[in-house]
């Protein structure tokens, strides 16, 4: 999910601080093993989302929809820790959504450039930051394309699409990346 137009208390918090907190809390989620402790963490995440308002919470929870196939796979897999795995995954993705929804992409790019400076001899920080930002930006775009292709398939066929949407989805992603590359070149590119 991308940044929302409505402002919350979390929007002015610096991107570096939010990303650092996200890393620390995600590591803590992997330390927690009991479903009870992870449920408490889940309640904390829900409280965090609710502190930004109901519209924000609704949009953030909609951003968790793509997780349902993974939740189903983990639940069917019958891993002895399946509840912990699912709770950990939902909490981590919800927190990542919180960070992306409350942080401007330009602020994230600046933070990534700062973090990538030690790698400047190998890879220019601006290019790495742009690549990460584009990856973050295009996740919801690809999910939207997948929904459109699924809907088009269902309108034409009673069978489930399954793997058949992969080629049109890959072509849509390539088309989008080509248009973005042209736009970057037209604006002088990244040096």
């Amino acid at each position: 999910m991308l940044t929302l137009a409505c402002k919350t208390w979390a929007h002015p918090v610096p991107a570096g601080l939010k990303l650092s907190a996200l890393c620390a809390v995600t590591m803590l989620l992997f330390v927690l093993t009991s479903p009870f402790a992870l449920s408490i963490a889940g309640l904390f995440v829900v409280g965090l989302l609710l502190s930004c308002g109901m519209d924000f919470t609704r949009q953030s929870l909609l951003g968790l929809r793509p997780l349902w196939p993974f939740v189903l796979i983990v639940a069917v897999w019958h891993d002895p820790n399946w509840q912990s795995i699912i709770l950990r995954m939902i909490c981590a993705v919800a927190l990542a959504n919180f960070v992306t929804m409350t942080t401007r992409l330009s602020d994230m790019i600046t933070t990534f450039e700062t973090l990538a400076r030690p790698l400047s001899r190998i890879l220019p920080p601006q290019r790495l930051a742009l690549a990460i930002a584009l990856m973050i930006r295009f996740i919801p775009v690809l999910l939207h394309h997948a929904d459109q292709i699924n809907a088009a398939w269902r309108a034409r066929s009673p069978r489930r699409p399954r793997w058949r949407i992969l080629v049109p989805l890959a072509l849509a992603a390539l088309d989008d990346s080509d248009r973005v590359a042209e736009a970057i070149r037209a604006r002088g590119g990244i040096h």
Side-chain angles (χ1 to χ4, degrees), residues 19 48 51 57 68 71 100 102 117 127 134 147 171 177 180 188:
L19 290 168
L48 182 68
S51 74
T57 303
W68 76 263
V71 168
T100 58
T102 60
R117 280 205 183 100
R127 288 185 186 175
L134 287 174
D147 287 343
L171 292 173
S177 64
V180 168

Side-chain angles (χ1 to χ4, degrees), residues 1-3 18-19 21-23 25-26 29 45 48-49 56 60 63-64 88-103 108 136 139:
M1 186 63 57
L2 295 176
T3 308
K18 285 189 267 192
L19 290 168
L22 176 62
C23 289
V25 172
T26 303
L29 287 173
V45 171
L48 182 68
L49 297 176
F56 183 91
S60 184
L64 297 177
R88 190 177 294 125
M89 180 173 50
I90 290 172
C91 287
V93 172
L95 287 169
N97 280 348
F98 177 82
V99 170
T100 58
M101 289 172 69
T102 60
T103 309
M108 278 197 194
I136 291 169
I139 290 171

Side-chain angles (χ1 to χ4, degrees), residues 1 59-73 89-90 93-94 97 139-144 146-147:
M1 186 63 57
Q59 286 298 318
S60 184
L61 293 177
L62 284 174
L64 297 177
R65 284 187 318 178
L67 287 182
W68 76 263
F70 301 104
V71 168
L72 186 65
I73 289 168
M89 180 173 50
I90 290 172
V93 172
N97 280 348
I139 290 171
V141 171
L142 286 177
L143 291 173
H144 178 70
D147 287 343

Side-chain angles (χ1 to χ4, degrees), residues 51-129:
S51 74
C52 293
M54 286 306 294
D55 287 339
F56 183 91
T57 303
R58 189 174 16 266
Q59 286 298 318
S60 184
L61 293 177
L62 284 174
L64 297 177
R65 284 187 318 178
L67 287 182
W68 76 263
F70 301 104
V71 168
L72 186 65
I73 289 168
V74 170
V76 170
W77 184 21
H78 294 296
D79 185 282
N81 300 322
W82 67 273
Q83 297 101 335
S84 297
I85 294 169
I86 290 171
L87 287 168
R88 190 177 294 125
M89 180 173 50
I90 290 172
C91 287
V93 172
L95 287 169
N97 280 348
F98 177 82
V99 170
T100 58
M101 289 172 69
T102 60
T103 309
R104 290 189 341 231
L105 201 52
S106 60
D107 293 341
M108 278 197 194
I109 290 173
T110 303
T111 302
F112 292 139
E113 281 180 11
T114 303
L115 291 172
R117 280 205 183 100
L119 302 173
S120 61
R121 291 180 185 255
I122 304 167
L123 182 66
Q126 292 106 345
R127 288 185 186 175
L128 182 61

